[in-house]
C-alpha cells in the first residue's frame, strides 16, 4: 500500500513537470512578443505636454515563418495600445497619445543570429487635458508582465523607480505648475515686479513639545512600518507563506528545521532591504524563480527525509527571492513611495514585520504538523499531498510567465 502511494505521488510530480514542458514548448511556437518593458515618463508642467519613452525587448520565435505573422513593430504597438493606458485625474487621456516606433538591436555583432534580440523604442506623446491635476499610468490586468517606470517631472527625475504590476496604477504625479514661495506675501521667493525679496521670519521660540511630538511621529511611523511588513508578507503572494511549509514537510527535527528557517530569514531580510534602497529591482521573472525554488524545496519531500547540506543554500536563495516578492506588494509601496530615500527606522520596522510574519507562519505550520506527525498516515496523507500542491503552485507561477 505504501509503495503504491509513493508511486502515485511520483507520477503526480512528473505530471506537473510534463505540463510545464508542454507550456514552454507552446510558448516557443508563438511569433514576436514583448518580453520586458522599461519606461520613462517625461512630464513638462510648463508646456503641459508628456512623453512616454518605452524600451521594449521583443523576443522572436524559433520558427522564421511564424515571425512573419507578427513583426516586432506590430508586437510593440499591440502592447502599447492594449496594455498601457495614460490617465489624467483617473480618466483616459483625450486625445489618445501619438505613437512613434523605431527598432534598435539589443545584441552586439558577436552574438549568433539565432540569439539576437531586438529592442523596440516606442514614444507615446500628447498634451495635458485642460484643468488636469494628476498623471497616472494604468497597466491592464491582462498584461503578461510588470512594467518598470521612472518619472521625470520638469527635468527632475524621481529618486526611485516604481514597478507597475498588471491591474495596478502608478503613483499619481501632480502636474500642476510648480510655484516657488507665496505669491501673496512673497515669502520664500519674489513678489511682484520691482519689489524686494521678503525674508522669511525666523522663530526665536521653539515649542516645548517639539521633541516629544517628533518622537511620537517616529514611533507611529515605526509601528505602521511593522504592520505594513506583516501585510506585505501575507497579502500579495502565497510564496512567502508556502516556503516555510515546504521546509517543514521534509523533516521536523529541531536542529535541521531551525537551520533551514534561519537561512530563510537571513535571505529574506536583505532581499527586502535591497529592494527598499533600489539596489535590486523586481523583474517579470522574480515570481517564477521564487516558484521554481518552492518546487525544489517541496518536491524533495516526496522522495526522502534527509536534510542535505545544499538544502540550506537553497533556503537562503529562496529567502532572498521571497524578500523581492514581498517588495512587489502594495504595502511595500505605501512605506517606500520613492518621495525620499528609505529611512532606517521605517526599513527596520518593515523588515521586522516581515520576519515576525515568517516566524508566525512557521510556528503555526510546525505546531499543526507536529500534532499530525504522531499518526501512521502522516506522510502519505499529509506530507505528500501538501508537497504536490506546493509544487503545482510553483509550476503554475513558472507557466504563467509564458502565457
Amino acid at each position: 500500500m505504501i509503495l503504491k502511494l509513493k508511486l502515485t505521488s511520483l507520477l503526480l510530480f512528473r505530471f506537473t513537470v510534463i505540463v510545464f514542458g508542454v507550456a514552454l514548448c507552446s510558448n516557443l511556437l508563438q511569433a514576436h512578443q514583448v518580453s520586458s518593458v522599461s519606461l520613462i515618463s517625461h512630464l513638462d508642467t510648463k508646456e503641459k505636454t508628456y512623453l512616454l519613452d518605452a524600451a521594449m525587448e521583443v523576443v522572436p520565435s524559433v520558427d522564421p515563418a511564424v515571425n512573419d505573422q507578427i513583426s516586432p513593430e506590430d508586437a510593440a504597438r499591440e502592447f502599447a495600445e492594449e496594455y498601457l493606458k495614460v490617465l489624467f485625474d483617473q480618466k483616459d487621456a483625450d486625445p489618445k497619445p501619438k505613437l512613434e516606433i523605431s527598432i534598435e538591436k539589443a545584441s552586439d555583432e558577436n552574438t549568433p543570429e539565432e540569439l539576437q534580440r531586438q529592442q523596440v523604442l516606442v514614444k507615446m506623446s500628447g498634451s495635458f487635458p485642460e484643468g488636469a491635476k494628476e498623471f497616472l499610468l494604468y497597466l491592464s490586468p491582462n498584461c503578461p508582465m510588470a512594467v518598470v517606470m521612472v518619472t521625470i517631472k520638469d527635468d527632475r527625475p524621481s529618486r526611485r523607480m516604481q514597478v507597475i504590476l498588471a491591474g495596478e496604477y502608478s503613483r499619481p504625479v501632480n502636474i500642476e505648475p510648480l510655484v516657488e514661495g507665496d505669491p501673496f506675501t512673497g515669502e520664500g521667493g519674489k513678489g511682484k515686479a520691482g519689489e524686494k525679496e521678503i525674508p522669511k521670519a525666523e522663530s526665536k521660540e521653539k515649542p516645548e513639545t517639539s521633541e516629544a511630538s517628533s518622537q511620537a511621529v517616529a514611533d507611529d511611523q515605526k509601528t505602521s512600518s511593522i504592520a505594513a511588513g506583516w501585510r506585505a508578507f501575507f497579502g500579495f503572494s502565497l510564496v512567502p507563506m508556502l516556503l516555510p511549509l515546504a521546509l517543514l514537510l521534509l523533516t521536523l527535527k529541531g536542529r535541521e528545521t531551525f537551520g533551514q528557517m534561519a537561512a530563510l530569514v537571513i535571505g529574506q531580510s536583505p532581499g527586502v532591504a535591497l529592494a527598499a534602497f533600489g539596489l535590486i529591482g523586481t523583474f517579470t521573472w522574480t515570481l517564477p524563480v521564487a516558484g521554481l525554488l518552492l518546487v525544489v524545496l517541496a518536491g524533495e519531500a516526496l522522495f526522502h527525509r534527509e536534510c542535505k547540506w545544499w538544502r540550506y543554500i537553497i533556503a537562503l536563495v529562496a529567502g532572498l527571492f521571497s524578500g523581492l516578492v514581498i517588495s512587489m506588494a502594495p504595502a511595500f509601496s505605501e512605506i517606500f513611495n520613492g518621495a525620499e530615500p528609505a529611512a532606517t527606522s521605517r526599513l527596520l520596522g518593515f523588515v521586522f514585520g516581515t520576519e515576525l510574519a515568517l516566524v508566525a507562519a512557521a510556528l503555526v505550520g510546525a505546531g499543526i504538523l507536529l500534532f499530525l506527525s504522531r499518526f501512521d498516515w502522516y506522510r502519505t496523507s499529509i506530507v505528500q499531498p501538501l508537497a504536490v500542491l506546493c509544487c503545482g503552485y510553483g509550476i503554475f507561477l513558472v507557466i504563467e510567465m509564458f502565457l
Side-chain angles (χ1 to χ4, degrees), residues 208-238:
E208 297 178 356
T209 59
S210 60
E211 294 182 1
S213 300
S214 300
Q215 184 63 34
V217 171
D219 293 340
D220 291 341
Q221 289 180 348
K222 189 173 182 180
T223 303
S224 63
S225 299
I226 295 174
W230 179 280
R231 295 198 311 271
F233 184 89
F234 290 108
F236 177 70
S237 173
L238 294 176

Side-chain angles (χ1 to χ4, degrees), residues 128-146:
F128 299 166
E130 189 67 27
K133 297 181 179 180
E134 287 185 340
F135 164 82
L136 292 167
L137 188 67
Y138 177 69
L139 196 59
S140 172
N142 300 324
C143 184
M145 69 195 69

